[in-house]
Amino acid sequence: MTERQRLFIGGAWVEPEDGYHPVVDPATEGIAGWAPEASRGQVHAACAAAREAFGPWSRTAPEERAAVLARAAEVIRRNLVPYAELAQAESGATTRTARGMQVGVAAARFRRYARVEPVEQPLPPQINEAGPFGPAAVVGAVAERRPVGVVACVTSYNNPWANPAGKVAPALAMGNTVVVKPAPQDPLSVYRMAEALREAGAPPGVVNVVGGSRPEVGEAAVDCPEVDMVSFTGSTAVGQRIAEACGRSMKRQLMELGGKGAALVFDDADLDAAVAGIGTTFSFYSGQICTAPTRVIAQRGVYDRVVSELAAHARRLTVGDPRVPGTVVGPVISAAHRDRVEAYVESGRKEGARLVAGGERPPYDRGFYVAPTLLADCTPDMRVVREEIFGPVVVVVPFDDEEEGIALTDDTDYGLIDYVWSRDVARAFRVARRLRAGQVGVNTVGRNMEAPFGGFKRSGVGRDVGSYALHAYSELQAIVWPG
């Protein structure tokens, strides 16, 4: 029988009170493992353990906290292959993605936040005029970053290693303690992360993991009085509900929500580079990523070439078992999500979009596969253009001039990442600065992992990555004294 995973509370492995649920391998539809179902009481017990551990951990020297993170990175690196195999079994990632972009990125994030950074910023002295508190005086001040407290980290299913690591590592580096509620589709890897931190010397209660398939599990973590902050990655709809709950008790929030990224392709673009960049939507997590350039806004002079070359690119991609070398596009996370993506494609066709590539279900007896799909001749009012599909589907909309291109790019509820392709770099930067997105790629889909990450509009609240994550998981305190 496949092993049954226990909860991790207060440094101990604990039997779940509400049983287990199966974790399904998206490629084979077999059972990858059994994940625990925490009760509301167990979630609150985890939060209480985190609260008890917070005082000692927050007072631990930053160098000691950094050493724990560095050792955790080494444990993850040492176990890269078995950790990646588990991530692949529960998320459907290709071998290259599971090793490099999931487990490898997680190890890199723990190493990055093992670097101690200053938390104190001296402020210039100020001469106060005479007033009710005495004669004129010189007043000095420093602004110092303090940990927020207990952080509930609610993570997404598309990357069971890099996403949790991007929350846990900077939160711990700043002296917070964490309660992680992993996505129910692929939670097993997060328990391995807790195992690595325990081996690295994280004290009991500093890291807790409590999962479950029912919404009540996440709700218990969000509304627990012991929790000071919620860090969430997921859909905008769920993020809104979490934000409402946080608002009632003034909990701090970091929200990385949905995206509908535009790739604005001008007539003078390097089309080979643009098509290769946009084409990552089909292959990177099978399109299940909020940063993907899923809306192509192509200028009419290159519109037909963009469509034909993207279609050719999509047809060349090998779809299939992610464990087989040469597979580029693996399955989506579940049967329900496959049905959802297929329903969007059919909706686009009914609304008048032209199906150029894909649209059919790949011919496999098992696995939740979706063919890389391209819809052309789309209009801004179509659901496939306006709503996040979260699958290997790209839509193409034509435009005439720069102003129209900018307007179409910004005609969305989202504002996470957009992209601009033009050989006129001055124009590309000019356009980038006008777009209402948290990040804009100019002639690239690459990420700088020290650049702030987060969205405008309904794509989220706050910024993380690099030093910005340390800011996100801290509060500013001013200390003032007479000079």
Side-chain angles (χ1 to χ4, degrees), residues 259-266 269 273-281 284 289-298 399 405-406 408-410 415-422 427-429 431-433 435-448 453:
K260 191 70 175 177
L264 185 53
V265 183
F266 285 96
V275 167
I278 296 163
T280 61
T281 300
F284 196 44
I289 184 165
C290 54
T291 59
T294 57
R295 287 186 302 143
V296 179
I297 315 296
F399 77 96
I406 293 170
L408 287 170
T409 299
D410 273 344
L416 189 60
I417 296 187
D418 288 330
Y419 305 87
V420 179
W421 267 278
S422 172
R427 173 170 67 175
F429 274 83
V431 169
R433 291 187 172 102
L435 299 179
R436 298 198 64 220
Q439 192 169 126
V440 182
V442 173
N443 295 323
T444 183
V445 293
R447 293 269 305 280
N448 181 320
F453 181 72

Side-chain angles (χ1 to χ4, degrees), residues 24 64 77 106-107 153 171 178 232 289 372-373 386 391 411 443 454 457 478:
V24 177
E64 293 181 38
R77 188 202 63 77
C153 302
V178 298
F232 172 71
I289 184 165
T373 299
R386 305 209 65 81
D411 184 17
N443 295 323
K457 299 185 278 187

Side-chain angles (χ1 to χ4, degrees), residues 20-112:
Y20 299 85
H21 72 270
V23 177
V24 177
D25 184 329
T28 68
E29 300 186 42
I31 295 177
W34 292 87
E37 293 276 4
S39 67
R40 185 176 181 86
Q42 287 180 310
V43 175
H44 283 194
C47 296
R51 172 61 61 197
E52 183 176 353
F54 170 66
W57 179 250
S58 65
R59 294 190 293 271
T60 299
E63 292 79 9
E64 293 181 38
R65 298 197 297 261
V68 170
L69 299 183
R71 291 193 295 269
E74 178 56 28
V75 173
I76 295 169
R77 188 202 63 77
R78 191 169 65 241
N79 290 283
L80 185 146
V81 172
Y83 283 172
E85 288 175 349
L86 175 61
Q88 185 172 57
E90 59 180 349
S91 72
T94 63
T95 300
R96 180 178 180 182
T97 295
R99 292 185 181 186
M101 300 306 298
Q102 294 187 348
V103 182
V105 168
R109 286 180 169 172
F110 276 100
R111 282 196 301 271
R112 189 263 176 257

Side-chain angles (χ1 to χ4, degrees), residues 237-466:
V238 175
Q240 286 175 314
R241 294 198 295 271
I242 291 175
E244 290 169 1
C246 289
R248 289 192 289 271
S249 54
M250 297 303 293
K251 286 182 170 68
R252 299 298 179 261
Q253 305 166 42
L254 179 61
M255 297 282 178
E256 197 262 283
L257 307 178
K260 191 70 175 177
L264 185 53
V265 183
F266 285 96
D267 283 344
D268 64 347
D270 179 339
L271 291 191
D272 289 341
V275 167
I278 296 163
T280 61
T281 300
F282 302 127
S283 55
F284 196 44
Y285 302 128
S286 301
Q288 299 168 112
I289 184 165
C290 54
T291 59
T294 57
R295 287 186 302 143
V296 179
I297 315 296
Q299 199 161 15
R300 290 194 188 274
V302 293
Y303 178 84
D304 290 339
R305 280 188 61 197
V306 167
V307 170
S308 64
E309 291 183 23
L310 270 174
H313 180 93
R315 296 187 191 105
R316 285 195 299 268
L317 301 176
T318 302
V319 181
D321 187 338
R323 296 171 178 85
V324 174
T327 294
V328 179
V329 183
V332 296
I333 194 68
S334 66
H337 190 57
R338 176 190 59 195
D339 293 347
R340 177 180 180 273
V341 174
E342 290 177 343
Y344 267 110
V345 174
E346 184 58 25
S347 168
R349 293 177 66 177
K350 288 180 178 178
E351 289 184 297
R354 176 166 57 97
L355 181 65
V356 185
E360 74 288 345
R361 183 176 294 185
Y364 298 110
D365 294 334
R366 292 187 176 274
F368 310 129
Y369 296 99
V370 176
T373 299
L374 183 68
L375 293 169
D377 303 344
C378 296
T379 57
D381 58 325
M382 292 179 178
R383 285 184 62 216
V384 289
V385 175
R386 305 209 65 81
E387 298 177 15
E388 184 177 36
I389 299 173
F390 220 60
V393 180
V394 172
V395 302
V396 193
V397 179
F399 77 96
D400 290 306
D401 56 30
E402 182 177 307
E403 289 301 318
E404 185 187 14
I406 293 170
L408 287 170
T409 299
D410 273 344
D411 184 17
T412 174
D413 292 334
Y414 299 103
L416 189 60
I417 296 187
D418 288 330
Y419 305 87
V420 179
W421 267 278
S422 172
R423 284 192 171 92
D424 184 342
V425 176
R427 173 170 67 175
F429 274 83
R430 180 179 71 244
V431 169
R433 291 187 172 102
R434 290 186 58 187
L435 299 179
R436 298 198 64 220
Q439 192 169 126
V440 182
V442 173
N443 295 323
T444 183
V445 293
R447 293 269 305 280
N448 181 320
M449 297 313 293
E450 290 297 317
F453 181 72
F456 287 23
K457 299 185 278 187
R458 297 182 67 189
S459 284
V461 176
R463 297 292 183 272
D464 67 355
V465 179

